[in-house]
Amino acid sequence: MPTPNSTATPTAGQFLLNALHRAGITARPDGDSGSGYIVIPVGAHGIIMIGGVIGRARENEIHYRPSEHQGWGGVYYPDTKNDDGNFTEFYESANTDLARDTSSVVKAVQKIIAGR
């Protein structure tokens, strides 16, 4: 298993994506020119989005060196078919230890998925 600082894991986002896949969670990177995040489908219409924590240097980013990690943030949108702004922030961390923070956010994702 790659470590957060190994060359086998070029970005923090890839480290998270690998951890989600090892946990059996379907996920993919997504974003646009202004942001990057991991998307996880939940149920028929819902999605989870994970990226860097808002208000920090890596806000809404996943494509950065593991040593620059400043915490993950996760939100759950229960119905993406109705764009009504309804979402729940279920995870926000200031943990700079990528491995520990990633383990914690994966557990939080598993709880969201199990509850749906």
Side-chain angles (χ1 to χ4, degrees):
M1 175 170 79
T3 64
N5 295 316
S6 76
T7 57
T9 306
T11 68
Q14 189 60 53
F15 188 81
L16 173 57
L17 198 58
N18 291 345
L20 289 164
H21 288 168
R22 281 192 307 274
I25 298 170
T26 301
R28 64 179 170 75
D30 203 348
D32 55 32
S33 62
S35 66
Y37 44 87
I38 303 288
V39 173
I40 303 158
V42 180
H45 305 293
I47 62 166
I48 290 172
M49 294 171 56
I50 301 172
V53 176
I54 293 174
R56 300 208 178 90
R58 295 298 180 184
E59 177 179 335
N60 296 323
E61 292 184 41
I62 58 172
H63 303 296
Y64 55 86
R65 292 186 312 233
S67 62
E68 297 173 349
H69 185 68
Q70 297 181 5
W72 293 123
V75 294
Y76 170 63
Y77 292 86
D79 186 358
T80 57
K81 299 250 181 204
N82 296 319
D83 190 14
D84 60 3
N86 182 24
F87 66 90
T88 301
E89 185 175 3
F90 69 91
Y91 189 84
E92 184 175 348
S93 170
N95 192 340
T96 59
D97 182 327
L98 178 61
R100 284 187 177 180
D101 197 27
T102 298
S103 177
S104 294
V105 77
V106 168
K107 289 175 187 172
V109 166
Q110 289 171 322
K111 285 181 183 177
I112 294 290
I113 292 171
R116 303 297 167 213

